[in-house]
Amino acid sequence: MATTEDLALYYPDLATASPHIRDVTARLQRFCLRAEWKEGKAYISSLQDQDLRNLSVAGSAIVLHHEHENYGGAKELLQKVGIEELLGEEHALLREEVAVLALLSADVESASNFRIEEALNLASEIEQIYMYREWDFEADFSSQETRARANIILKQRSLWKLDDPEAYDDSETPFPDSRVAIENLVTQVYHRAHLAGFSLPEAAQTRLRARVPSLIKFLRARNRRLVEACVIFQSLASPNTFVSSPVETMTFWQEYLETLHGRKLSLIRAIVLGRLIAFDAKADKTGALHYFEQSSQLFEQEHCVNHLTSLLMAKWRFLSKISYASEEEGRQHSIDEAPLPSTTSVFEQIGGATGALSLRDRNDDATSRRSVADAARRRLEQLFSIQKQHLQGDHGNAQPDYLREAIFLATNSPELWPDLKTPMDSGLALLRSYENHYSARIVEYLYFIGCSDMIDYADEARIFFHANLSRGGLELTPDLFLGACKGAWRSHTVLEDHRSALAYAQKAYDSPICLRDESNRSDAAWRLASSQRSIAGARITALRYSSGQAERAALRREMEKIVAFLEIWVELDKESGRWAKHYEKADLLASVLMYLCNDLQVKEYEEKWQNCINSTRTMSNPDENTQTRIRLAPMMLMLGQHRFVDMFRYATDMYKEVMNDKSLSLAMVSAMSTAVAIALQSAVLFKPPLPEELRKQIRTIQYNFIMSDLKILKFNNSAEIILLRAPLLVWTILDCIQLWPERTAEYIQSMVDYFDTAQSLCRKVRRNLESDVGLQQWIRRRTLGGKFTFSKVCQFAAEFFLKSKKETLAWSWIQRGRAQALQDMLRDRNTAVERILMTLNGDSNISQYLFKEEQLVKSMTEAGPALYFENRRKLDQHREQMRKHPALQQILDGPEDVERVEYDNLHDIWALAEYLPKDSDIVLVDWFIDTMGKIWRMAVNYKGRHLTPRYWRLSITPQQISFWVIRYLRFPTGSVAPLENKLKALHALRNLFFGLEHVCKPGDLLILNVPGAMAGIPFHGILFDGEVLIERNPVIYSAGLNLYRQCLKRARQLVSINNGHPLQDAVFTSAYGEAGYEAEQDRIFSHLKETASIFQSTSLLGDQLTVKSMHDVLDAAPWIHYHGHAYYAKTEVLNQCLVLGSLKEEEKRIQSRDHESIVEETRAQLNEAMPFESPLSEREALLSNHLLEGTSRLTLADIFAMDLLKTHPVVCSIACDSGVQDFSPGDEPLGLVSALFCAGASSVIGTLWPIRSSTGRMFSEAFYKSLEEQGKYEGKNQRNQLCSVLNLAQAFREATITVKKTKSDPYSWAPFVLQGAGFYFYERSNKLNSTEAQKQNPAGH
């Protein structure tokens, strides 16, 4: 400890205090100044209770905890002091020591329990008492003591009324340290409230700014330098600072430094020097380093270890900026300054441009990027090393700074993001142990806002922000509310859930903090307009194959509203000097105008668009991202208008400008290189064609540009940008193959590597979406699957391999692109234990791994979304350990065949041929729409399974199909039903089967894998080879071959039956209760009872059928038949359901309770995935009122929540629209059928539109008659092979033909569809001898 003379600096101005109290207080102040927190807390622990009952000592001890941000320790001392009792005294706040303790307590509660508004009110009250309130001494005060205190306060106010504060007579009226502490603490409370987004009266801020200079002059004149330093340090960190700019602040620090002389002031001088580093680093690197050296020497002389560590942090921050700037300079590339050739020839211009392009050597880009990343990782390691030193010194108040810097560094270098997990956990744990919950929450917000832009982490961010917004209460301060809305907006935007993003943007825009702060509202306005643009853009894309003029007009009006909104804010930002925000909105405005000009063909906006771009380009220094977008915007407009020559001329000029801009970072250069590649691509579209040599020159440069960028992006894990390279690569390499056929193998391999990488990234992102369960997870995966970059990867891959004559690869990629989210859900329904048991035969380590995994999954589920990310991290770490086991790695990563399908490895499908009639084969048929809107059809047949798949490019277009659907399958005014009395309507689609007769003979089984764009079309009713397809061939529908194989795998899990018919365990259900149709109900019930009697099975009819009984049936029966009502509306797909009659009394309280909550949470995601053209149609509204009011319903969500994997049933639903599914981009289905498959069904029969009940009865009678006949001939088939299987496809064909013979219009016979496996496998389980059992259980089943 220092000598008494040294301690004089720290002695408080307490004339009446005992020497002991003064000494204790001085020591506590010394610990604070030296940042010796550990020693200070130990000293406080050694004090006697009687010392801590002294308010001056207690105040100093609490200040030490407060500055250390150990709010838990401060609370303990406040309780010892009895702060509640003190404040309960009359006029307690007139006592300066009590006022100090009250402010400390309020600020501690602000930081630990978010009671910021209460602290703000207290600070305002205390400020009024000590500065402005006038009293009637006789009326207001009952005792002489309180009158005396009030009188002293009035005299102290004269300090601020004097022109010369040094003239204040403190001998008559002392101005003690406690009075100065009140000023400091009021400033701190206001500062925290300001940062938290609370409204501060401008008058209060003005008063503070005016008082501080007078107080500093007074303290300096009295040589109370320590107290003066506290005032300065607190005031200059506050938004209420008395200096108005960084320049004035720098000047003040330098002038203040000149007043600090002598050894006693060396610590204060060292702290000031440390603060000067940050200010001088921006302008004078040498000066900043000089300050660092001086400060280090002073701290070393004083042996202030914690201060030295903090100084290392300041130096790290300073050197980090220098290093980063140096690396940015090192990234820049030189280019020949020679101007482009001056010529009027377009070809010569192109030649000159490509010559300039070739001067730039981009081979070092990946190496450069790696060195930059390595440097960033070294900086992060240095930061964590300093953090550890601070943790050893118990320097917890520095943790927020460390974590903020680490987050900022990782945001600029995303490859470092995984490295943040451990230090984030330790730093946040320390902050929480100190009860510094506000700072911990701020750090969490910064972390999740940073990762919300990265698609790998966006879903975790979404959960975090949603949980915080849902929690509400005091913890959701205005700044945290705004931050949560911003983070939620960013994460939902990355996940392509723009409607949810729009809702959060609107919340932020209308929040009180934005209403009173135009800068915050300007940010929210940009987010609001951006989401509106994205939603409208999705609807515009949906209109690509539609001629809906009314919808186009509505979209134009919406876009024009966005334009008007942005124009207002562009001007407001310009007038207020918010240039960064101005550029952002001007760029967004340009993109909206481009939609209007290009997509909606509103040519009168072109001039406004051009003016917008020109005005933005002439303004001063926009950021890099905005510069890039500004440069790209004109080129995109020209591309959309097919002005290829203008585009290339512009791109040539732009490229020269970009390459001569020495300030661009590598990331921006990469983006501009892509733009140049697009421009080069446009060159090959010139008419007449370019000379071959020039074309080769362009393609060589373009190929090198793109491949070098991919190396950089691959290293940086920039998933989305990698995926966006697909179209450029396809266009470029297809042309390269034509120009250099001898290098075909090299080009093909590069594309195989690229698409494998891209698909791996997609798969990784989809599997990261595990935060939701059940239907929410499916919807989120489905929505993400519709995102451009994800849905197009497989499409571009298939198109590339098709056009490069690699048909087998093309076929495989077409299969991989179908219904990936649904495939994931089907795969995930197999638990880890079940998958392992299917793969492994007893491993001693497996049970231990599984038990721990089960416990971690359980804790993650029970913790709820607020703590999800912490538990998820533990689970990820455990699964990384599990992956070290080879078998577990394969299982955890998922089986390869979930995504990869090879045409020559379909033995499970080809094996079905043994259950078909003699000489019948299996043909797999797919349709594929390429990026140019051309339709291809592929076919692979059983006999030709060792041959290349056959391809045909069809003459029919997506637009023609769309028009056909609108004309025949919708419900236009006056139309009773789709295709009714339209006998030849389906003939218009016969081109879809053109050429298929060469690989498909009559009787062959067709498995039709129909893309989402053609969903709803009854392919089996199309004319093919001179007759209707279903009359020529049996048909099974599927959303994808992967999905079909999983259904088939389920079906092959044999159903065990006794001596009866294979359908003896089937259950036939109906609840067709409708006034006026009692006769039809009787006919339905009679038919189902008779059918159940034939198969010796059971039935549930009328009031017997409830939601619970239907659950039980689905859970136990291998075959379920339902005849009744179903509800479906395109705009309410989540409400699709089977209507099980009138609502029973016991069901009224529980009817779809879970479903309703799920619908509310997922409706916005679904609407974004499938933009709807209009609200419920008149027909849909009538159906909704008629079917849903007062009815018992089995909903899509109810079905999805079931587990039917034990029975893997066949479900036959004779109900309106029961087979309809909605498809999002990426061919992702959603409907009752896909919900049944997710639950565990193996085959489903449904309908594509509303049907008449009598027609449904006719179909089911014929269907079960066929199955009855099949059951009679169990034994050997026509190939003399033993079999125990029902051919559902054959029965479906015979039933459809039966209906067609009676009712010839397609409306009656074409709506029925069979989806899934199409076969029902079973085995006999009764007491048979081994010979009979062998006969009835053929090998291979």
Side-chain angles (χ1 to χ4, degrees), residues 894-934:
E896 279 298 314
D897 64 355
V898 167
E899 290 193 350
R900 188 185 297 276
V901 180
E902 303 297 345
Y903 82 100
D904 56 355
N905 188 25
L906 301 174
H907 307 300
D908 52 344
I909 296 178
W910 303 141
L912 294 173
E914 64 191 59
Y915 308 119
L916 299 179
K918 190 176 181 180
D919 297 327
S920 294
D921 295 321
I922 299 170
V923 182
L924 309 178
V925 186
D926 288 88
W927 288 264
F928 167 69
I929 303 175
D930 67 20
T931 58
M932 305 303 290
K934 303 295 184 184

Side-chain angles (χ1 to χ4, degrees), residues 413-663:
S413 301
E415 62 271 15
L416 300 181
W417 207 259
D419 299 334
L420 292 187
K421 292 182 177 180
T422 301
M424 277 288 296
D425 284 344
S426 60
L428 288 173
L430 182 63
L431 290 174
R432 290 185 179 119
S433 71
Y434 287 167
E435 295 190 39
N436 190 357
H437 299 303
Y438 182 76
S439 292
R441 189 63 54 78
I442 290 291
V443 170
E444 285 181 321
Y445 270 54
L446 292 173
Y447 174 84
F448 281 108
I449 286 175
C451 70
S452 62
D453 280 339
M454 289 176 275
I455 200 161
D456 288 6
Y457 298 90
D459 203 51
E460 288 188 11
R462 178 192 63 82
I463 299 167
F464 174 81
F465 291 119
H466 184 269
N468 279 274
L469 287 167
S470 301
R471 184 184 300 119
L474 291 174
E475 296 184 18
L476 198 63
T477 56
D479 65 320
L480 294 180
F481 175 82
L482 188 63
C485 288
K486 178 181 178 181
W489 177 86
R490 290 170 71 164
S491 57
H492 279 288
T493 299
V494 167
L495 294 171
E496 291 288 303
D497 183 0
H498 294 298
R499 290 190 183 274
S500 295
L502 176 63
Y504 287 113
Q506 189 69 57
K507 284 183 180 180
Y509 188 74
D510 294 335
S511 66
I513 190 173
C514 283
L515 290 175
R516 63 173 175 262
D517 185 339
E518 192 176 272
S519 179
N520 279 328
R521 200 160 205 236
S522 177
D523 288 333
W526 179 84
R527 293 193 289 273
L528 189 65
S530 179
S531 292
Q532 290 171 337
R533 186 275 313 266
S534 297
I535 292 170
R539 293 173 63 191
I540 288 172
T541 302
L543 285 175
R544 179 176 297 170
Y545 303 133
S546 172
S547 60
Q549 294 304 315
E551 179 68 3
R552 289 180 182 275
L555 279 170
R556 174 178 174 174
R557 289 192 294 272
E558 287 184 28
M559 285 294 194
E560 287 172 340
K561 287 180 182 178
I562 300 173
V563 168
F565 177 77
L566 284 170
E567 285 177 335
I568 293 171
W569 275 103
V570 164
E571 289 304 313
L572 284 174
D573 288 336
K574 182 178 179 181
E575 292 168 5
S576 303
R578 296 187 293 264
W579 294 112
K581 295 178 174 63
H582 170 82
Y583 294 135
E584 270 190 333
K585 293 185 186 66
D587 174 50
L588 183 59
L589 176 59
S591 70
V592 175
L593 290 169
M594 188 169 70
Y595 267 121
L596 281 165
C597 296
N598 283 359
D599 295 273
L600 298 178
Q601 300 296 308
V602 188
K603 298 304 179 184
E604 57 263 35
Y605 280 98
E606 283 193 16
E607 184 177 354
K608 180 179 284 192
W609 180 89
Q610 193 63 55
N611 292 337
C612 176
I613 293 297
N614 291 338
S615 64
T616 310
R617 292 188 61 148
T618 57
M619 292 181 181
S620 56
N621 299 325
D623 61 68
E624 276 192 343
N625 288 294
T626 306
Q627 287 183 55
T628 303
R629 291 192 294 267
I630 289 170
R631 288 185 173 107
L632 287 178
M635 200 174 78
M636 293 298 101
L637 180 66
M638 297 171 196
L639 179 64
Q641 297 171 335
H642 294 179
R643 291 160 48 197
F644 299 120
V645 175
D646 292 341
M647 177 185 172
F648 191 80
R649 286 172 176 161
Y650 172 81
T652 305
D653 294 337
M654 180 193 70
Y655 183 75
K656 182 179 179 182
E657 178 186 338
V658 167
M659 291 301 104
N660 285 312
D661 187 345
K662 306 302 180 184
S663 64

